[in-house]
Coordinates of all heavy atoms in Angstrom, one line a residue:
M1 N -11.9 -15.9 -2.5 CA -11.1 -16.4 -1.3 C -10.4 -17.7 -1.8 O -10.6 -18.2 -2.9 CB -12.1 -16.7 -0.1 CG -11.4 -16.8 1.2 SD -10.6 -15.2 1.6 CE -9.8 -15.7 3.0
N2 N -9.5 -18.2 -0.9 CA -8.7 -19.3 -1.3 C -8.9 -20.4 -0.2 O -9.4 -20.2 0.8 CB -7.2 -19.0 -1.4 CG -6.7 -18.6 -0.1 OD1 -6.5 -19.3 0.8 ND2 -6.3 -17.3 0.1
D3 N -8.5 -21.6 -0.6 CA -8.5 -22.7 0.3 C -7.2 -23.1 0.8 O -7.0 -24.3 1.2 CB -9.3 -23.9 -0.3 CG -10.7 -23.5 -0.6 OD1 -11.3 -22.9 0.2 OD2 -11.2 -24.0 -1.6
F4 N -6.2 -22.3 0.6 CA -4.8 -22.6 1.1 C -4.7 -22.6 2.6 O -5.3 -21.9 3.3 CB -3.8 -21.5 0.5 CG -3.5 -21.7 -1.0 CD1 -3.2 -20.5 -1.6 CD2 -3.7 -22.8 -1.6 CE1 -3.0 -20.5 -3.0 CE2 -3.4 -22.9 -2.9 CZ -3.1 -21.8 -3.7
T5 N -3.8 -23.5 3.1 CA -3.5 -23.5 4.4 C -2.5 -22.4 4.7 O -1.8 -21.8 3.8 CB -2.8 -24.9 4.9 OG1 -1.6 -25.0 4.2 CG2 -3.8 -26.0 4.5
E6 N -2.2 -22.1 6.0 CA -1.2 -21.1 6.3 C 0.2 -21.5 5.8 O 0.9 -20.7 5.4 CB -1.2 -20.8 7.8 CG -2.4 -20.1 8.3 CD -2.5 -18.7 7.7 OE1 -1.5 -17.9 7.6 OE2 -3.7 -18.3 7.3
T7 N 0.4 -22.8 5.9 CA 1.7 -23.4 5.4 C 1.9 -23.1 3.9 O 2.9 -22.7 3.5 CB 1.8 -24.9 5.8 OG1 1.7 -25.1 7.2 CG2 3.1 -25.5 5.3
E8 N 0.8 -23.3 3.2 CA 0.9 -23.1 1.7 C 1.0 -21.7 1.3 O 1.9 -21.3 0.5 CB -0.4 -23.7 1.1 CG -0.4 -25.2 1.1 CD -1.8 -25.7 0.8 OE1 -2.9 -25.1 0.9 OE2 -1.9 -26.9 0.3
I9 N 0.3 -20.8 2.1 CA 0.5 -19.4 1.8 C 2.0 -18.9 2.2 O 2.5 -18.1 1.4 CB -0.6 -18.5 2.7 CG1 -2.0 -18.8 2.1 CG2 -0.2 -17.1 2.6 CD1 -3.1 -18.3 2.9
H10 N 2.5 -19.4 3.3 CA 3.8 -19.1 3.7 C 4.8 -19.6 2.6 O 5.8 -18.9 2.2 CB 4.1 -19.7 5.0 CG 5.5 -19.6 5.5 ND1 5.9 -18.3 6.1 CD2 6.6 -20.3 5.7 CE1 7.2 -18.3 6.4 NE2 7.6 -19.5 6.1
A11 N 4.6 -20.7 2.0 CA 5.4 -21.3 1.0 C 5.4 -20.3 -0.2 O 6.5 -20.1 -0.9 CB 5.1 -22.7 0.7
L12 N 4.2 -19.9 -0.6 CA 4.2 -18.9 -1.8 C 4.9 -17.6 -1.5 O 5.6 -17.2 -2.3 CB 2.7 -18.6 -2.0 CG 1.9 -19.6 -2.9 CD1 0.5 -19.2 -2.9 CD2 2.5 -19.7 -4.3
H13 N 4.8 -17.2 -0.3 CA 5.5 -16.0 0.1 C 7.1 -16.2 0.1 O 7.8 -15.3 -0.3 CB 5.1 -15.5 1.5 CG 3.9 -14.7 1.5 ND1 3.8 -13.3 1.4 CD2 2.5 -15.1 1.5 CE1 2.5 -12.9 1.4 NE2 1.7 -14.0 1.5
E14 N 7.5 -17.4 0.6 CA 8.9 -17.7 0.5 C 9.5 -17.8 -0.9 O 10.5 -17.4 -1.2 CB 9.2 -19.0 1.3 CG 9.2 -18.8 2.8 CD 9.7 -20.1 3.5 OE1 9.6 -21.2 2.9 OE2 10.1 -20.0 4.6
A15 N 8.6 -18.4 -1.7 CA 9.0 -18.6 -3.2 C 9.1 -17.2 -3.8 O 10.1 -17.0 -4.5 CB 8.0 -19.5 -3.9
L16 N 8.2 -16.3 -3.7 CA 8.2 -15.0 -4.2 C 9.4 -14.2 -3.7 O 10.1 -13.5 -4.4 CB 6.9 -14.3 -4.0 CG 6.7 -12.9 -4.6 CD1 7.0 -13.0 -6.2 CD2 5.4 -12.3 -4.3
D17 N 9.6 -14.3 -2.3 CA 10.7 -13.5 -1.8 C 12.1 -14.0 -2.4 O 12.9 -13.2 -2.7 CB 10.8 -13.8 -0.3 CG 11.8 -12.9 0.4 OD1 11.7 -11.6 0.3 OD2 12.7 -13.4 1.0
D18 N 12.2 -15.3 -2.6 CA 13.4 -15.9 -3.2 C 13.6 -15.4 -4.6 O 14.7 -15.0 -5.0 CB 13.4 -17.4 -3.2 CG 14.6 -18.1 -3.7 OD1 15.7 -17.8 -3.1 OD2 14.6 -18.8 -4.7
E19 N 12.6 -15.3 -5.4 CA 12.6 -14.7 -6.7 C 12.9 -13.3 -6.8 O 13.7 -12.8 -7.6 CB 11.3 -15.0 -7.5 CG 11.0 -16.6 -7.7 CD 12.0 -17.3 -8.5 OE1 12.9 -16.6 -9.3 OE2 12.2 -18.5 -8.4
Y20 N 12.3 -12.5 -5.8 CA 12.6 -11.1 -5.7 C 14.1 -10.9 -5.4 O 14.7 -10.0 -5.9 CB 11.7 -10.5 -4.6 CG 10.3 -10.1 -5.0 CD1 9.4 -10.0 -3.9 CD2 9.9 -9.8 -6.3 CE1 8.1 -9.5 -4.2 CE2 8.6 -9.4 -6.5 CZ 7.7 -9.2 -5.4 OH 6.4 -8.8 -5.7
H21 N 14.6 -11.7 -4.5 CA 16.0 -11.6 -4.1 C 16.9 -11.9 -5.3 O 17.9 -11.1 -5.5 CB 16.3 -12.6 -3.0 CG 17.7 -12.3 -2.4 ND1 18.5 -13.4 -2.2 CD2 18.4 -11.3 -1.9 CE1 19.7 -13.0 -1.8 NE2 19.6 -11.7 -1.6
A22 N 16.6 -12.9 -6.0 CA 17.4 -13.3 -7.2 C 17.4 -12.1 -8.2 O 18.4 -11.8 -8.8 CB 16.9 -14.6 -7.8
W23 N 16.1 -11.6 -8.5 CA 16.0 -10.6 -9.5 C 16.8 -9.4 -9.2 O 17.5 -8.8 -9.9 CB 14.5 -10.3 -9.8 CG 14.3 -9.3 -10.9 CD1 14.1 -9.5 -12.2 CD2 14.4 -7.9 -10.7 NE1 14.0 -8.4 -12.8 CE2 14.2 -7.3 -12.0 CE3 14.6 -7.0 -9.6 CZ2 14.2 -6.0 -12.2 CZ3 14.6 -5.6 -9.9 CH2 14.4 -5.1 -11.1
S24 N 16.7 -9.0 -7.9 CA 17.4 -7.9 -7.3 C 18.9 -8.0 -7.4 O 19.6 -7.1 -7.7 CB 17.0 -7.5 -6.0 OG 15.6 -7.2 -6.0
T25 N 19.4 -9.2 -7.2 CA 20.8 -9.5 -7.3 C 21.3 -9.3 -8.7 O 22.3 -8.7 -8.9 CB 21.1 -10.9 -6.7 OG1 20.7 -11.0 -5.4 CG2 22.6 -11.2 -6.9
Y26 N 20.6 -10.0 -9.6 CA 21.0 -9.9 -11.0 C 20.8 -8.4 -11.5 O 21.6 -7.9 -12.3 CB 20.3 -10.9 -11.9 CG 20.8 -12.2 -11.6 CD1 20.1 -13.1 -10.9 CD2 22.1 -12.5 -12.1 CE1 20.6 -14.4 -10.7 CE2 22.6 -13.8 -11.8 CZ 21.9 -14.7 -11.1 OH 22.5 -16.0 -10.9
D27 N 19.8 -7.7 -11.0 CA 19.7 -6.3 -11.5 C 20.8 -5.5 -11.0 O 21.3 -4.6 -11.7 CB 18.3 -5.8 -10.8 CG 18.0 -4.4 -11.5 OD1 17.8 -4.3 -12.7 OD2 17.7 -3.5 -10.7
Q28 N 21.3 -5.8 -9.8 CA 22.5 -5.0 -9.3 C 23.7 -5.4 -10.0 O 24.6 -4.5 -10.4 CB 22.7 -5.3 -7.8 CG 23.8 -4.5 -7.2 CD 23.5 -3.0 -7.2 OE1 22.5 -2.6 -6.7 NE2 24.3 -2.2 -7.8
V29 N 23.9 -6.7 -10.4 CA 25.1 -7.0 -11.3 C 25.0 -6.2 -12.5 O 26.0 -5.7 -13.0 CB 25.0 -8.6 -11.5 CG1 26.0 -8.9 -12.6 CG2 25.3 -9.3 -10.2
I30 N 23.8 -6.2 -13.2 CA 23.8 -5.4 -14.5 C 24.0 -3.9 -14.2 O 24.6 -3.3 -15.0 CB 22.4 -5.7 -15.0 CG1 22.3 -7.1 -15.5 CG2 22.0 -4.8 -16.2 CD1 20.9 -7.7 -15.8
A31 N 23.5 -3.4 -13.1 CA 23.8 -1.9 -12.8 C 25.3 -1.7 -12.7 O 25.8 -0.7 -13.1 CB 23.1 -1.6 -11.5
D32 N 26.0 -2.7 -12.1 CA 27.4 -2.5 -11.9 C 28.3 -2.9 -13.1 O 29.4 -2.3 -13.2 CB 27.9 -3.4 -10.7 CG 27.3 -3.0 -9.3 OD1 26.9 -1.7 -9.3 OD2 27.2 -3.7 -8.5
F33 N 27.8 -3.8 -13.9 CA 28.7 -4.3 -15.1 C 28.1 -4.0 -16.4 O 28.7 -4.3 -17.4 CB 28.9 -5.8 -14.9 CG 29.8 -6.1 -13.7 CD1 29.2 -6.8 -12.6 CD2 31.2 -5.8 -13.7 CE1 30.0 -7.1 -11.6 CE2 31.9 -6.2 -12.5 CZ 31.3 -6.8 -11.5
G34 N 26.9 -3.6 -16.5 CA 26.2 -3.4 -17.7 C 25.3 -4.5 -18.2 O 25.3 -5.6 -17.6
E35 N 24.5 -4.2 -19.2 CA 23.5 -5.2 -19.7 C 24.3 -6.3 -20.5 O 24.4 -6.3 -21.8 CB 22.6 -4.4 -20.6 CG 21.3 -5.2 -20.9 CD 20.2 -5.3 -19.9 OE1 20.2 -4.4 -19.1 OE2 19.5 -6.2 -19.8
V36 N 24.8 -7.3 -19.9 CA 25.6 -8.4 -20.5 C 25.0 -9.8 -20.2 O 24.6 -10.0 -19.1 CB 27.1 -8.3 -20.1 CG1 27.7 -7.0 -20.7 CG2 27.3 -8.5 -18.6
P37 N 25.0 -10.6 -21.2 CA 24.7 -12.0 -21.0 C 25.7 -12.7 -20.2 O 26.8 -12.3 -20.3 CB 24.5 -12.6 -22.3 CG 24.5 -11.6 -23.3 CD 25.2 -10.4 -22.6
P38 N 25.5 -13.7 -19.3 CA 24.2 -14.3 -19.1 C 23.3 -13.6 -18.1 O 22.1 -13.9 -17.9 CB 24.5 -15.7 -18.6 CG 25.7 -15.5 -17.8 CD 26.5 -14.4 -18.6
F39 N 23.9 -12.5 -17.4 CA 23.2 -11.9 -16.3 C 21.8 -11.3 -16.8 O 20.9 -11.4 -16.1 CB 24.1 -10.8 -15.7 CG 25.4 -11.4 -15.2 CD1 26.5 -11.0 -15.7 CD2 25.4 -12.4 -14.1 CE1 27.7 -11.6 -15.3 CE2 26.6 -12.9 -13.8 CZ 27.7 -12.6 -14.3
S40 N 21.9 -10.7 -17.9 CA 20.6 -10.0 -18.5 C 19.6 -11.2 -18.7 O 18.3 -11.0 -18.5 CB 20.8 -9.2 -19.7 OG 21.5 -10.0 -20.7
N41 N 20.0 -12.3 -19.2 CA 19.1 -13.5 -19.5 C 18.5 -14.0 -18.3 O 17.4 -14.3 -18.2 CB 19.8 -14.5 -20.3 CG 20.3 -14.0 -21.6 OD1 19.9 -13.0 -22.2 ND2 21.1 -14.9 -22.3
I42 N 19.3 -14.1 -17.3 CA 18.9 -14.7 -15.9 C 18.0 -13.7 -15.3 O 16.9 -14.2 -14.7 CB 20.1 -15.0 -15.1 CG1 21.0 -16.0 -15.8 CG2 19.6 -15.5 -13.7 CD1 22.3 -16.3 -15.1
R43 N 18.2 -12.4 -15.4 CA 17.3 -11.5 -14.8 C 15.9 -11.6 -15.4 O 14.9 -11.6 -14.8 CB 17.8 -10.1 -14.9 CG 16.8 -9.0 -14.2 CD 17.4 -7.7 -14.4 NE 17.4 -7.3 -15.8 CZ 17.8 -6.0 -16.2 NH1 18.2 -5.2 -15.4 NH2 17.9 -5.8 -17.5
E44 N 15.9 -11.8 -16.8 CA 14.6 -11.9 -17.5 C 13.9 -13.2 -17.0 O 12.7 -13.2 -16.8 CB 14.9 -12.0 -19.0 CG 15.2 -10.6 -19.6 CD 15.6 -10.8 -21.0 OE1 15.2 -11.8 -21.8 OE2 16.3 -10.0 -21.6
A45 N 14.6 -14.2 -16.8 CA 14.1 -15.5 -16.3 C 13.4 -15.4 -14.9 O 12.3 -15.8 -14.6 CB 15.1 -16.7 -16.3
E46 N 14.2 -14.6 -14.0 CA 13.7 -14.3 -12.7 C 12.3 -13.5 -12.8 O 11.4 -13.7 -12.0 CB 14.7 -13.6 -11.8 CG 16.0 -14.4 -11.6 CD 15.8 -15.7 -11.0 OE1 14.8 -16.0 -10.4 OE2 16.8 -16.5 -11.0
A47 N 12.3 -12.5 -13.7 CA 11.1 -11.7 -13.9 C 9.9 -12.6 -14.3 O 8.8 -12.4 -13.9 CB 11.3 -10.6 -14.9
R48 N 10.1 -13.6 -15.1 CA 9.0 -14.5 -15.6 C 8.6 -15.3 -14.4 O 7.4 -15.6 -14.2 CB 9.5 -15.4 -16.7 CG 9.6 -14.7 -18.0 CD 9.8 -15.6 -19.2 NE 11.0 -16.4 -19.1 CZ 12.2 -16.1 -19.5 NH1 12.4 -14.9 -20.1 NH2 13.3 -16.9 -19.4
H49 N 9.6 -15.8 -13.5 CA 9.1 -16.5 -12.3 C 8.3 -15.7 -11.4 O 7.3 -16.2 -10.8 CB 10.4 -17.0 -11.6 CG 11.3 -17.9 -12.4 ND1 12.6 -18.1 -12.0 CD2 11.1 -18.6 -13.5 CE1 13.2 -18.9 -12.9 NE2 12.3 -19.2 -13.8
I50 N 8.7 -14.4 -11.3 CA 7.9 -13.5 -10.4 C 6.6 -13.3 -11.0 O 5.6 -13.4 -10.2 CB 8.7 -12.1 -10.2 CG1 10.0 -12.3 -9.4 CG2 7.7 -11.0 -9.7 CD1 10.9 -11.1 -9.5
E51 N 6.4 -13.1 -12.3 CA 5.2 -12.9 -12.9 C 4.3 -14.2 -12.7 O 3.1 -14.1 -12.4 CB 5.3 -12.7 -14.4 CG 4.1 -12.3 -15.1 CD 4.3 -12.2 -16.6 OE1 5.4 -11.7 -17.0 OE2 3.4 -12.4 -17.4
A52 N 4.8 -15.4 -12.8 CA 4.1 -16.6 -12.6 C 3.5 -16.7 -11.2 O 2.3 -17.0 -11.0 CB 4.9 -17.8 -12.9
L53 N 4.4 -16.3 -10.2 CA 3.9 -16.4 -8.8 C 2.9 -15.3 -8.5 O 1.9 -15.6 -7.8 CB 5.1 -16.2 -7.9 CG 6.0 -17.5 -7.8 CD1 7.3 -17.1 -7.1 CD2 5.3 -18.6 -6.9
C54 N 3.1 -14.1 -9.1 CA 2.1 -13.0 -8.9 C 0.8 -13.5 -9.5 O -0.3 -13.1 -8.9 CB 2.6 -11.7 -9.5 SG 3.9 -11.0 -8.6
T55 N 0.7 -14.2 -10.6 CA -0.5 -14.7 -11.2 C -1.3 -15.7 -10.2 O -2.4 -15.6 -10.0 CB -0.2 -15.5 -12.5 OG1 0.3 -14.5 -13.4 CG2 -1.5 -16.1 -13.1
L56 N -0.4 -16.5 -9.5 CA -1.0 -17.4 -8.5 C -1.6 -16.6 -7.3 O -2.7 -16.9 -6.9 CB 0.0 -18.4 -7.9 CG 0.3 -19.5 -8.9 CD1 1.5 -20.4 -8.3 CD2 -0.8 -20.4 -9.2
F57 N -0.8 -15.6 -6.9 CA -1.4 -14.8 -5.8 C -2.7 -14.1 -6.2 O -3.6 -14.2 -5.4 CB -0.4 -13.6 -5.4 CG 0.7 -14.1 -4.4 CD1 1.8 -14.8 -4.8 CD2 0.6 -13.6 -3.2 CE1 2.7 -15.2 -4.0 CE2 1.6 -14.0 -2.2 CZ 2.7 -14.7 -2.7
A58 N -2.7 -13.5 -7.4 CA -4.0 -12.9 -7.9 C -5.1 -13.9 -8.1 O -6.3 -13.7 -7.6 CB -3.7 -12.2 -9.2
R59 N -4.8 -15.1 -8.6 CA -5.8 -16.1 -8.9 C -6.5 -16.5 -7.6 O -7.8 -16.8 -7.5 CB -5.2 -17.3 -9.6 CG -6.3 -18.3 -9.8 CD -5.7 -19.5 -10.6 NE -5.2 -19.1 -11.9 CZ -4.2 -19.7 -12.5 NH1 -3.7 -20.8 -12.1 NH2 -3.8 -19.2 -13.8
Y60 N -5.8 -16.6 -6.5 CA -6.3 -17.0 -5.2 C -6.6 -16.0 -4.2 O -6.8 -16.2 -3.1 CB -5.4 -18.1 -4.7 CG -5.4 -19.3 -5.5 CD1 -4.3 -19.6 -6.4 CD2 -6.4 -20.2 -5.5 CE1 -4.2 -20.7 -7.2 CE2 -6.5 -21.3 -6.4 CZ -5.4 -21.5 -7.2 OH -5.4 -22.6 -8.1
G61 N -6.7 -14.7 -4.7 CA -7.1 -13.6 -4.0 C -6.2 -13.2 -2.8 O -6.5 -12.7 -1.8
L62 N -4.9 -13.5 -3.0 CA -3.9 -13.1 -2.0 C -3.1 -11.8 -2.4 O -2.8 -11.6 -3.6 CB -2.7 -14.2 -1.9 CG -3.3 -15.6 -1.6 CD1 -2.2 -16.7 -1.7 CD2 -3.8 -15.6 -0.1
P63 N -2.9 -10.9 -1.5 CA -2.3 -9.7 -1.9 C -0.8 -10.0 -2.2 O -0.2 -10.8 -1.6 CB -2.3 -8.8 -0.5 CG -2.6 -9.8 0.5 CD -3.3 -11.0 -0.1
V64 N -0.3 -9.3 -3.2 CA 1.1 -9.5 -3.7 C 2.0 -8.6 -2.9 O 1.9 -7.4 -3.0 CB 1.2 -9.2 -5.2 CG1 2.7 -9.4 -5.7 CG2 0.3 -10.2 -6.0
P65 N 3.0 -9.1 -2.2 CA 3.9 -8.3 -1.5 C 4.8 -7.5 -2.5 O 5.2 -8.0 -3.4 CB 4.7 -9.3 -0.4 CG 4.3 -10.6 -0.9 CD 3.2 -10.5 -1.9
E66 N 5.3 -6.4 -2.1 CA 6.3 -5.6 -2.8 C 7.7 -6.4 -2.6 O 7.9 -7.1 -1.7 CB 6.4 -4.2 -2.3 CG 5.1 -3.4 -2.5 CD 4.9 -3.0 -3.9 OE1 5.8 -2.8 -4.6 OE2 3.7 -3.1 -4.3
N67 N 8.5 -6.0 -3.6 CA 9.9 -6.5 -3.5 C 10.7 -5.8 -2.4 O 11.0 -4.6 -2.6 CB 10.6 -6.3 -4.9 CG 11.9 -6.9 -5.0 OD1 12.5 -7.2 -3.9 ND2 12.5 -7.0 -6.2
P68 N 11.0 -6.5 -1.4 CA 11.8 -5.8 -0.3 C 13.3 -5.7 -0.5 O 14.0 -5.2 0.2 CB 11.5 -6.7 0.9 CG 11.4 -8.1 0.3 CD 10.7 -7.9 -1.0
W69 N 13.8 -6.4 -1.6 CA 15.2 -6.4 -1.9 C 15.8 -5.4 -2.8 O 17.0 -5.2 -2.7 CB 15.5 -7.8 -2.6 CG 15.3 -8.9 -1.6 CD1 14.2 -9.7 -1.7 CD2 16.0 -9.3 -0.5 NE1 14.2 -10.6 -0.6 CE2 15.4 -10.4 0.1 CE3 17.3 -8.9 0.0 CZ2 15.9 -11.1 1.2 CZ3 17.8 -9.6 1.1 CH2 17.1 -10.7 1.6
Q70 N 15.0 -4.6 -3.5 CA 15.6 -3.5 -4.3 C 16.3 -2.6 -3.6 O 15.9 -2.0 -2.6 CB 14.5 -2.9 -5.1 CG 13.9 -3.7 -6.2 CD 12.8 -3.0 -7.0 OE1 11.8 -2.6 -6.5 NE2 13.1 -2.8 -8.3
G71 N 17.6 -2.4 -4.0 CA 18.5 -1.5 -3.4 C 19.1 -2.0 -2.1 O 19.8 -1.3 -1.4
K72 N 18.9 -3.3 -1.7 CA 19.4 -3.9 -0.5 C 20.3 -5.1 -0.7 O 20.5 -5.8 0.2 CB 18.2 -4.3 0.4 CG 17.4 -3.1 0.8 CD 16.3 -3.5 1.8 CE 15.5 -2.3 2.2 NZ 14.2 -2.7 2.8
V73 N 20.7 -5.3 -1.9 CA 21.7 -6.4 -2.2 C 23.1 -5.8 -2.4 O 23.2 -4.6 -2.6 CB 21.3 -7.2 -3.5 CG1 19.9 -7.9 -3.2 CG2 21.2 -6.3 -4.6
A74 N 24.1 -6.6 -2.3 CA 25.5 -6.2 -2.4 C 25.7 -5.6 -3.8 O 25.2 -6.0 -4.8 CB 26.4 -7.4 -2.1
R75 N 26.6 -4.6 -3.8 CA 27.2 -4.0 -5.0 C 28.4 -4.8 -5.4 O 29.0 -5.4 -4.5 CB 27.5 -2.6 -4.8 CG 26.2 -1.8 -4.5 CD 26.4 -0.4 -4.9 NE 26.8 -0.4 -6.4 CZ 26.9 0.7 -7.0 NH1 26.7 1.9 -6.5 NH2 27.3 0.7 -8.3
Y76 N 28.8 -4.8 -6.6 CA 30.0 -5.6 -7.1 C 31.0 -4.6 -7.7 O 30.7 -3.6 -8.4 CB 29.5 -6.5 -8.1 CG 28.5 -7.6 -7.5 CD1 27.2 -7.3 -7.6 CD2 29.0 -8.6 -6.8 CE1 26.3 -8.2 -7.1 CE2 28.1 -9.6 -6.3 CZ 26.8 -9.3 -6.4 OH 25.8 -10.2 -5.8
A77 N 32.3 -4.8 -7.2 CA 33.3 -4.0 -7.6 C 33.8 -4.3 -9.1 O 33.7 -5.4 -9.6 CB 34.6 -4.1 -6.7

C-alpha cells in the first residue's frame, strides 16, 4: 500500500496523462512524416518519462492507467 494523499495520487495521474499525450502526439507526427529527428528523439524521451512514472506507480502499489491518447491526437498534413 502507499501513504500518498488523494492530491498526490491525482498529481501522478496528471503527470502520466501529460506524458501519454506528448508521446502519442510525437508518435502521430512520426506516423505522418516518418522516423526523423528531432521527433523520434523526443518520442524516445517521452517513453523514458512514462517508464519512470510507471515505476513509481508500481513501487507504491498504484494501478497504471492505459494510454487514452493513442489514435486520438491530431494528424498532420
Side-chain angles (χ1 to χ4, degrees):
M1 200 62 188
N2 67 68
D3 294 324
F4 287 150
T5 66
E6 287 299 316
T7 301
E8 292 165 333
I9 292 171
H10 181 72
L12 279 173
H13 280 266
E14 282 186 340
L16 184 57
D17 187 65
D18 185 59
E19 296 299 337
Y20 278 156
H21 186 233
W23 185 91
S24 297
T25 299
Y26 287 106
D27 193 56
Q28 186 62 56
V29 168
I30 290 165
D32 293 337
F33 296 109
E35 191 80 29
V36 294
F39 305 114
S40 56
N41 298 348
I42 296 169
R43 181 182 63 181
E44 288 175 23
E46 299 301 345
R48 288 190 300 274
H49 301 160
I50 290 167
E51 184 179 331
L53 285 164
C54 288
T55 298
L56 286 174
F57 274 79
R59 180 177 297 154
Y60 294 103
L62 299 169
V64 178
E66 295 290 321
N67 183 348
W69 294 103
Q70 287 183 296
K72 296 181 182 172
V73 295
R75 294 208 54 180
Y76 299 90

